Amino acid sequence: HTLHHMTNTICSLTLTRPLIFFDTETTGTDKVKDRIIELSTCKISPEGTQEVKTARFNPGITIPLEATMVHGITNEDVKDKPPFSKYAQSISDYFKGSDIGGYNCIGFDVPILVEELLRAKAPLPFDESTKFVDAMRIFHLMEKRDLSAALKFYCGKDHDSAHSAEADVLASAEVLNAQVTRYGFKGDLTELHDFCNENTSIVDYDRKFTRNQDGEIIFNFGKNYGKKVSADPDYLNWMLSADFSNHTKYCIKKILSGDLA
């Protein structure tokens, strides 16, 4: 990994604790069933230093050709790499106490990382105080295009290494910085988190639950949409045996035990 001082990549942001931009390359797009094969992080301290780390993992399942065609990583490339589970604890430790940034991190990278950590029985580094800011959410809400177009639009640069995790993570940091300036954000991560998450609270990363205006956890899908979870514990128990993500089930168990309210 590399450690160096930022130039001006993130000068628009006001950081009170570290901010980690991260990106994953995976065996596919199913957040529950697919696996991480590459993880790249760019950790920025409130003082402005930047640490970039990239690691590859053997996913334990075959990487489909369709996925290799996207990111260029083959089964041969990772056959001698360690499994994610070997480093799950240290990855959790590294993320703990940091806010999170990326490009489609809210919709994909955070949920699949959480699934891998839970699968490895590692503690989750995120909680309800974690700020998640997503350059793609801002971009799509404002301009409706992809990361290469975002880099060209906001920064006037061609994204020559698209779908390389490290190039993508650095590009997303640069795009977010330009967005803060262009749209007049204060650079406060709470403001950006609220914008990216459309002022809804995150309970589980698959968004089956959220919170209402009174801060109570409610269902965010299906027949109970908008209802308080306390109104239908039988449905929560059914969800535990159905095909929901590990993190959704993790939250259900905490709701049922009274540890999450």
Side-chain angles (χ1 to χ4, degrees):
H1 68 270
T2 55
L3 177 64
H4 49 86
H5 281 274
M6 300 292 286
T7 49
N8 61 352
T9 306
I10 213 72
C11 62
S12 301
L13 299 180
T14 306
L15 303 184
T16 56
R17 60 181 185 169
L19 172 62
I20 296 179
F21 283 90
F22 84 102
D23 187 60
T24 60
E25 301 301 343
T26 62
T27 58
T29 58
D30 188 312
K31 291 171 283 191
V32 176
K33 294 176 183 173
D34 279 304
R35 301 289 189 268
I36 294 172
I37 51 182
E38 185 171 77
L39 173 66
S40 188
T41 60
C42 174
K43 190 173 193 176
I44 301 160
S45 72
E47 296 74 40
T49 57
Q50 168 186 291
E51 182 179 41
V52 178
K53 293 186 176 186
T54 300
R56 286 186 175 179
F57 309 99
N58 184 327
I61 60 175
T62 300
I63 304 171
L65 178 60
E66 297 83 357
T68 296
M69 289 173 70
V70 172
H71 48 58
I73 303 171
T74 65
N75 289 290
E76 184 71 16
D77 291 334
V78 295
K79 69 180 175 59
D80 297 323
K81 299 296 183 184
F84 182 93
S85 58
K86 182 175 181 181
Y87 292 103
Q89 179 66 55
S90 61
I91 289 168
S92 176
D93 292 343
Y94 191 70
F95 274 83
K96 191 169 179 62
S98 297
D99 293 315
I100 301 301
Y103 197 85
N104 196 25
C105 62
I106 290 172
F108 185 74
D109 298 289
V110 168
I112 201 166
L113 178 64
V114 165
E115 290 300 296
E116 289 278 30
L117 291 170
L118 289 172
R119 194 176 290 119
K121 296 182 169 51
L124 296 184
F126 314 128
D127 57 32
E128 290 193 33
S129 73
T130 308
K131 305 304 179 207
F132 297 93
V133 295
D134 192 327
M136 191 191 82
R137 287 284 176 101
I138 295 172
F139 186 42
H140 283 189
L141 288 166
M142 296 294 193
E143 309 294 346
K144 316 288 186 194
R145 290 158 82 183
D146 68 7
L147 179 56
S148 295
L151 194 66
K152 186 74 172 175
F153 182 90
Y154 290 106
C155 308
K157 293 182 177 180
D158 291 318
H159 191 30
D160 297 325
S161 302
H163 296 298
S164 148
E166 188 168 306
D168 284 357
V169 81
L170 294 172
S172 65
E174 193 164 352
V175 166
L176 179 62
N177 180 71
Q179 289 172 329
V180 169
T181 303
R182 175 181 285 262
Y183 299 120
F185 290 111
K186 296 191 295 288
D188 172 73
L189 286 190
T190 298
E191 174 196 34
L192 290 166
H193 169 87
D194 288 344
F195 186 85
C196 290
N197 294 283
E198 300 178 65
N199 292 307
T200 59
S201 294
I202 298 169
V203 178
D204 65 315
Y205 298 115
D206 212 21
R207 302 304 180 97
K208 299 304 181 191
F209 305 109
T210 185
R211 291 185 184 273
N212 61 20
Q213 290 180 329
D214 296 324
E216 299 164 313
I217 299 174
I218 58 173
F219 291 101
N220 196 37
F221 76 104
K223 67 172 188 175
N224 284 329
Y225 178 81
K227 292 182 182 176
K228 292 191 288 188
V229 292
S230 56
D232 200 342
D234 288 344
Y235 194 71
L236 292 175
N237 278 301
W238 169 78
M239 288 177 69
L240 285 175
S241 62
D243 191 19
F244 292 95
S245 74
N246 285 326
H247 189 249
T248 297
K249 292 180 180 181
Y250 170 87
C251 290
I252 291 170
K253 289 173 185 173
K254 293 189 77 171
I255 290 167
L256 291 172
S257 69
D259 291 336
L260 182 60

